[in-house]
Amino acid sequence: MQKVYIYKQFERFWHWTQAILILFLAMTGFEVHDSIHLFGYENAVVYHRIAAWMLLGLIVFSVFWHITTGEWRQYIPSFSKLSAQIHYYTFGMFKGEPHPTHKTARNKLNPLQAVTYLGFKLVMAPLIVVTGMVYMFYRTIDANDMVVVSEIPLEWIAWLHTFGAYLLLMFVIIHVYMTTTGSTPLTNIKAMLTGYEELEDTEASHSVIKKEDPHEA
């Protein structure tokens, strides 16, 4: 086993900040829907809006980071071992079968993860952002005829936003469960905290091993 530097500083910051914001948005969203009571309705609305803007800003920075560093290539799906990966997660790992793919610093995602995360970035995230923005500025947009939304009931927009939020929560729950499928239940979580992950020698030989630069983006 070799310790390999997999996750960069900004990548870890983005991951955990995004997770915190999504959970906070879920809490305040549930309160807006009167499902829980923590902050009070008016405060929940304000907090939800602030967290939404923070998440939107984080998305902008993460898109810029992915493009400038070339990390966007991680999400290019490969279907060569997709069926083998699905078989592993549904049956293989419970029978002690070896993992069909190997993680490296340049290839952090297996085929199923790449497809799933690409779907998150191209479907779930845009659905939540667009419906949230339209819902937030619905009256302003309609009053100034900036976009024709008068024929789209506000209830439909709210329903789509809520639907997207539930999809996102399902994604988070499955994601948290999948983090426990490493060599130990906490291996993947520890790697996302420290940036380093212990890989088999055959995997590590294809990775770039280096010390963490405190000034790294």
Side-chain angles (χ1 to χ4, degrees):
M1 299 289 286
Q2 293 187 31
K3 186 174 288 188
V4 180
Y5 187 54
I6 297 289
Y7 303 107
K8 300 179 177 66
Q9 288 182 352
F10 179 80
E11 197 168 9
R12 303 194 311 270
F13 166 78
W14 159 62
H15 176 274
W16 290 112
T17 305
Q18 179 176 250
I20 292 170
L21 287 173
I22 288 175
L23 292 177
F24 186 74
L25 283 165
M27 290 170 55
T28 52
F30 277 123
E31 181 148 14
V32 169
H33 282 267
D34 201 32
S35 299
I36 61 175
H37 303 89
L38 294 173
F39 308 107
Y41 175 79
E42 292 184 358
N43 287 333
V45 171
V46 173
Y47 297 159
H48 193 82
R49 182 169 296 189
I50 293 172
W53 281 114
M54 292 175 66
L55 181 60
L56 187 60
L58 183 65
I59 289 174
V60 171
F61 277 107
S62 67
V63 169
F64 175 78
W65 180 82
H66 277 86
I67 293 175
T68 56
T69 61
E71 288 291 325
W72 60 270
R73 297 184 181 89
Q74 299 282 348
Y75 305 99
I76 299 176
S78 172
F79 301 99
S80 60
K81 293 186 178 181
L82 181 59
S83 59
Q85 193 66 54
I86 294 174
H87 170 80
Y88 174 79
Y89 281 136
T90 52
F91 300 104
M93 68 179 183
F94 301 109
K95 298 179 179 179
E97 295 180 7
H99 203 289
T101 59
H102 301 288
K103 180 184 293 187
T104 69
R106 294 190 180 91
N107 192 18
K108 305 170 189 176
L109 305 177
N110 64 54
L112 185 58
Q113 288 175 325
V115 170
T116 303
Y117 294 162
L118 185 64
F120 165 76
K121 294 179 182 300
L122 296 183
V123 179
M124 279 188 283
L127 174 63
I128 293 173
V129 170
V130 171
T131 55
M133 295 295 288
V134 173
Y135 189 86
M136 188 184 302
F137 295 106
Y138 185 86
R139 293 183 179 179
T140 303
I141 292 173
D142 188 47
N144 294 281
D145 294 323
M146 296 170 62
V147 181
V148 179
V149 296
S150 59
E151 295 182 0
I152 304 177
L154 186 60
E155 292 79 7
W156 290 14
I157 298 172
W159 185 89
L160 285 172
H161 187 68
T162 304
F163 175 70
Y166 275 109
L167 286 179
L168 182 56
L169 279 178
M170 290 174 58
F171 172 85
V172 170
I173 292 171
I174 294 173
H175 177 69
V176 171
Y177 166 71
M178 295 308 294
T179 63
T180 66
T181 62
S183 56
T184 70
L186 297 178
T187 296
N188 292 324
I189 294 177
K190 183 179 178 181
M192 189 53 75
L193 287 169
T194 65
Y196 289 89
E197 186 165 352
E198 290 189 352
L199 302 179
E200 296 289 344
D201 292 342
T202 54
E203 297 173 286
S205 63
H206 295 89
S207 300
V208 177
I209 305 174
K210 62 178 182 178
K211 296 295 183 180
E212 181 172 2
D213 182 354
H215 303 292
E216 184 179 19

